[in-house]
Structure formats: C-alpha cells, structure tokens
Amino acid sequence: MHWNQLICDKRLGMEEYHDDRHHTRSDFQRDYDRLIFSSPFRRLQNKTQVFPLPGHIFVHNRLTHSLEVSSVGRSLGHEIAIRLKDRYQDAQLHRKFDDIRDIVAAACLCHDLGNPPFGHSGEKTIATFFSEGPGQHLKPMLSEREWSDCVNFEGNANSFRLLTHQFNGRRKGGMAMTYSTLASIVKYPYTSAHAGEKGKFGFFASEEDIYRKVAAQLGIPELSPGRFARHPLVYILEAADDICYQIMDIEDAHRLGILSTDHVIRLLLGFFDEERRERLRKVMGGLADPNEQIAYLRSGVVGELVEASAEVFMDNEPEIMEGRFNGTLVGGLPERLCNAYKSCSATAWSKIYNAPMVVDIELAGNRIISFLLRTLVDAVMHPEKNYSRLLFNIIPQQYDVRAASVYERVQGVLDHVSGMTDVYALDLYRKLNGHTLPAV
C-alpha cells in the first residue's frame, strides 16, 4: 500500500463532485463535523458503554467514550504523522500526513455508531436470537452468507452499513463520508465467512461491493477471497479505543466504588518507572480529592501509551504497509507498559465486567432486545396480520421492512433495533407489552 493513495478525500456517492483543490476546511474535517451533527452520533449519549446509564454519578456512555477515543486518536495520529515526515522526505506526502489526525479523529467518532443498546452484550443478544432463539426458523430462507451475517451480528459491520447504506429517503452514499475515513473504521476487513470463533467481521453481504469499491480506490489489497489488508490508520483507531476503554473503565469503577482508590493508584502507577512515580506521588499529595488523584494519573497514563503506541506503529510500518502486520499497537508495547496494561485488563475482567450492576443491565437488555426482535421479525414476515400493520406505523420509514427479500426485511428490523437508545428500547418494550399507555 502507498500513503499517497491511502489518503484520499473522495466522497462515497459524490465522486462526480470531487476535485483536487485545497480548501480552507479539509474534507476530513468536514467528515468530523458531519458526524458531530448527525442523529446516529447524538443517540450514543443514551447508549450504555459498560455501566448502567448514570443517576447521580456520571460514568461513560457511548457518546463520551467516542469523544475521548477521538481525542486520543487525534493525538496518536499527530505523533505518527510527525514521525512519518521524518521518514519520508516528500513535500506532497507531508501534506497528506497532515490529514492523518483529522481522518483518525473522524473515524474514532463513528467507530461505535452501529452498536446496539445495552452495551456489548446487545451484539451477542442479536446474534443468539438467530443462532439459538426464535430467529432459527429463518435459516432456510437465507443464503449461507446472509445467515452468517445474522448469527455473527457485529457492531463494526453495522457501523460501516450505517455510514454507507442508502436508507429510504436518504441520499446516495449514506452519510457520504470520505473513502479514507470509511476504510479507517473497518477493524476486521473481511466477510462474515471469516468471522471465526470471536464472530468479528467488517461488512455485511449488503455492503461488500461498497467496501470493495473503497478498497480498490485506496489500493488496499485482497489477501485472500473475502479478506483484505487493514488500512494502516485502523491500527491507530484500534489503539485509541483500547487505551480509552481499558483505562476509563478502571476510572469509572473507582467512581462507582467497585475499586478502591489505593487499588487504582497501584494499577496506574504501574505504567511509570520509579523516578516518575515519585514525582507523581508528590503531585497527588497536594490533591485532597481521590477522583482528582485518579484523573491526574489517568492523564499521565494516556500520554505514556500514546507516545509508546506511536513508536510501535513506526517500528512496524513496513509490515503494516505490506498487510503483513497481524498484531495490535497495544500488544507491542514495551514490557513495563504491557504488563501494566495486562494488570488493568485482568482487573476489569475479574472486578468490573462481572459486577452485579453490569450483569443486571445485560440481563434486562437481553430480554428487551429479544422481545423486540421476535415481535418485529414476525411482523415483517407476516405483513398481512392486523398487528403487523399496526407495528409498521411505528417503524421509521427509512428502514426497508417491506423489501422483497427476507434478508433485506430482517436487515430493516436490525437497523431499527440496533439504532435504538437504551431508553427508547425500554419504552417501546413497555408499550408493546401494554405496561404503559400515552394517556395513563
């Protein structure tokens, strides 16, 4: 792959309007602004990240997480761009490298757009609705690839669909993002046939031709049938996401009283050498608020991880550009940082992700999403029923639930359910079960 081709501001669906002029505001900055003002992005404020949506304690939701990932991604992209300029003595490429931070910032904003309500368990709930739930009866009506898309439902693939699919009444090209931004969000650039045990993949059958078009424009090679190399900037997005969710989950757990102040301080100090630890302890000694102590340490940890991740990227840049690098930037960190990161990860799995409040929201979300899927799938499969006709009145017109093929109708349902906020899904669940009425 070549940087000159990988950084391309051509817009999906608006190719005929493309020009090579330099504008005051770049097309990648326009991507960022377009996302900030979009409805799918605003809905993230009411979607669970890990912990239940807050009462008096404000923890991260999908929106704040995405904003923080974007901030870290921009910093990491900037660090890498500086190093790339030293490596490539080409003025034209230098202008391209200046765009990296804006591309990554925009990609980070939208990397979670396709995630359903109620946290990561929402993806598993949708997948198991088809693999072991009422959706099993649809298997004979779908092709092997279409069925694979359903039983491996993936938020990353759904994000790509949300950005690129022409929903009813919408313009060609979906949100008309630049090719480079679109490619930079596809963490798993292959079809569901390659999903494996983890069930990860990058695009549904309905968007495969779009991804192929983007990959061809950017010079991203197809390594084997249905499996492509990653766009290099994907590694930067992935590292920013890894850094944020791991460190911020620890900070949230502290705010909620799941982890003690001493425990979190020990975890975060593990990222620094002894000399730096002493300086950090002195500064913390002047902070009476434990939350401020943790926030101060967290900012230092993020800075360390950004700097080190930039070095890992540059060390592996030749392999990344050849599509041969199979690791992650965080996985290649120096030993001290790697061990500290692993300690945070182990703590998160043992103390956070199985905490009662987290499990409670997953159980409730499973029941709500499963009910909504069962009800809406039955409606699109049997549109002649009176109840189905009533349900069609509450499904937004942009979702093609009356499509000719079963796959498209099921996708229309998944578009609707995955786009719901936690609050909207709960409210609809109550209404359809007769637990609430508008006038009561």
Side-chain angles (χ1 to χ4, degrees):
M1 293 177 280
H2 303 281
W3 285 113
N4 194 49
Q5 190 174 1
L6 287 165
I7 299 176
C8 170
D9 59 7
K10 185 177 290 187
R11 291 192 176 279
L12 183 69
M14 298 179 66
E15 290 85 354
E16 65 270 29
Y17 302 110
H18 180 257
D19 64 66
D20 292 321
R21 291 180 300 164
H22 293 286
H23 301 275
T24 303
R25 190 164 56 108
S26 76
D27 280 291
F28 306 120
Q29 291 169 333
R30 288 188 173 98
D31 279 349
Y32 184 92
D33 296 342
R34 186 168 296 183
L35 288 161
I36 285 286
F37 286 95
S38 69
S39 294
F41 185 72
R42 287 198 301 272
R43 286 198 292 268
L44 294 178
Q45 68 182 310
N46 232 325
K47 286 190 175 185
T48 297
Q49 173 68 15
V50 173
F51 298 104
L53 294 177
H56 65 288
I57 298 177
F58 284 85
V59 293
H60 289 83
N61 54 39
R62 287 280 180 199
L63 183 75
T64 51
H65 167 72
S66 297
L67 288 168
E68 290 176 349
V69 173
S70 182
S71 177
V72 172
R74 177 185 279 113
S75 296
L76 181 52
H78 180 66
E79 291 287 340
I80 289 171
I82 292 173
R83 290 163 172 78
L84 287 171
K85 287 180 180 180
D86 289 338
R87 180 169 293 180
Y88 295 88
Q89 300 301 318
D90 183 321
Q92 184 179 359
L93 271 183
H94 285 195
R95 287 194 294 271
K96 294 272 189 177
F97 293 148
D98 286 336
D99 289 323
I100 286 178
R101 58 188 178 189
D102 293 324
I103 298 171
V104 174
C108 289
L109 274 190
C110 59
H111 80 285
D112 271 353
L113 281 189
N115 283 59
F118 305 110
H120 285 292
S121 66
E123 294 172 274
K124 189 66 175 177
T125 297
I126 292 175
T128 55
F129 171 82
F130 296 100
S131 63
E132 57 188 53
Q136 292 179 82
H137 77 281
L138 297 171
K139 185 175 182 179
M141 308 175 201
L142 301 171
S143 70
E144 183 177 349
R145 170 69 190 282
E146 291 167 348
W147 180 247
S148 178
D149 284 354
C150 292
V151 298
N152 294 295
F153 179 86
E154 225 288 321
N156 288 277
N158 202 42
S159 294
F160 190 77
R161 173 176 171 81
L162 188 59
L163 292 170
T164 61
H165 180 67
Q166 186 177 3
F167 292 97
N168 289 340
R170 303 300 177 87
R171 66 180 170 185
K172 182 182 177 182
M175 291 180 65
M177 308 296 287
T178 61
Y179 280 42
S180 291
T181 297
L182 288 174
S184 297
I185 73 162
V186 184
K187 294 166 70 174
Y188 313 103
Y190 40 81
T191 68
S192 60
H194 300 281
E197 293 183 2
K198 293 184 178 181
K200 299 293 187 181
F201 65 101
F203 40 85
F204 298 120
S206 50
E207 284 73 54
E208 181 175 353
D209 287 346
I210 295 176
Y211 184 78
R212 287 183 174 277
K213 180 179 181 179
V214 171
Q217 174 69 44
L218 302 180
I220 299 174
E222 187 170 6
L223 304 177
S224 62
R227 180 185 285 273
F228 293 79
R230 275 181 161 188
H231 191 292
L233 301 189
V234 171
Y235 290 98
I236 305 177
L237 176 148
E238 181 181 53
D241 191 25
D242 288 345
I243 291 168
C244 285
Y245 82 73
Q246 196 69 84
I247 304 305
M248 305 312 169
D249 287 352
I250 295 290
E251 186 175 6
D252 281 350
H254 172 259
R255 285 184 174 273
L256 291 168
I258 296 173
L259 298 177
S260 69
T261 301
D262 288 343
H263 187 177
V264 175
I265 288 176
R266 285 198 303 274
L267 285 174
L268 299 185
L269 283 177
F271 287 91
F272 306 100
D273 59 33
E274 190 54 46
E275 181 181 351
R276 181 81 183 276
R277 289 179 198 175
E278 286 304 312
R279 294 201 303 270
L280 292 169
R281 288 191 184 100
K282 288 180 181 179
V283 173
M284 285 193 298
L287 301 174
D289 185 346
N291 288 331
E292 282 299 306
Q293 292 178 341
I294 301 305
Y296 171 70
L297 282 180
R298 177 256 301 149
S299 66
V301 169
V302 171
E304 288 284 308
L305 292 176
V306 164
E307 188 80 17
S309 295
E311 292 297 331
V312 176
F313 184 94
M314 294 306 298
D315 289 344
N316 293 280
E317 192 238 357
E319 290 80 10
I320 289 172
M321 297 299 286
E322 293 171 5
R324 295 190 295 108
F325 183 65
N326 295 316
T328 65
L329 302 189
V330 168
L333 293 171
E335 184 177 6
R336 184 184 72 250
L337 295 178
C338 189
N339 289 338
Y341 187 90
K342 288 179 179 178
S343 295
C344 287
S345 181
T347 299
W349 282 106
S350 63
K351 301 289 186 181
I352 298 175
Y353 303 141
N354 292 315
M357 67 175 69
V358 176
V359 175
D360 286 347
I361 197 73
E362 291 181 353
L363 289 171
N366 186 291
R367 176 62 62 91
I368 293 167
I369 291 175
S370 296
F371 171 81
L372 294 176
L373 288 175
R374 184 173 69 250
T375 303
L376 296 174
V377 167
D378 183 72
V380 302
M381 295 304 297
H382 303 284
E384 73 283 354
K385 292 181 179 180
N386 180 59
Y387 189 55
S388 300
R389 289 196 292 270
L390 290 173
L391 284 172
F392 284 157
N393 289 324
I394 67 171
I395 298 176
Q397 293 300 309
Q398 68 186 32
Y399 303 128
D400 197 6
V401 294
R402 299 177 185 271
S405 75
V406 172
Y407 179 60
E408 289 175 300
R409 275 178 272 158
V410 170
Q411 278 196 307
V413 171
L414 295 179
D415 290 334
H416 185 29
V417 173
S418 64
M420 293 179 182
T421 65
D422 295 15
V423 173
Y424 180 86
L426 174 59
D427 182 57
L428 185 59
Y429 172 81
R430 287 171 172 167
K431 287 178 179 176
L432 295 182
N433 277 291
H435 295 161
T436 60
L437 290 171
V440 178

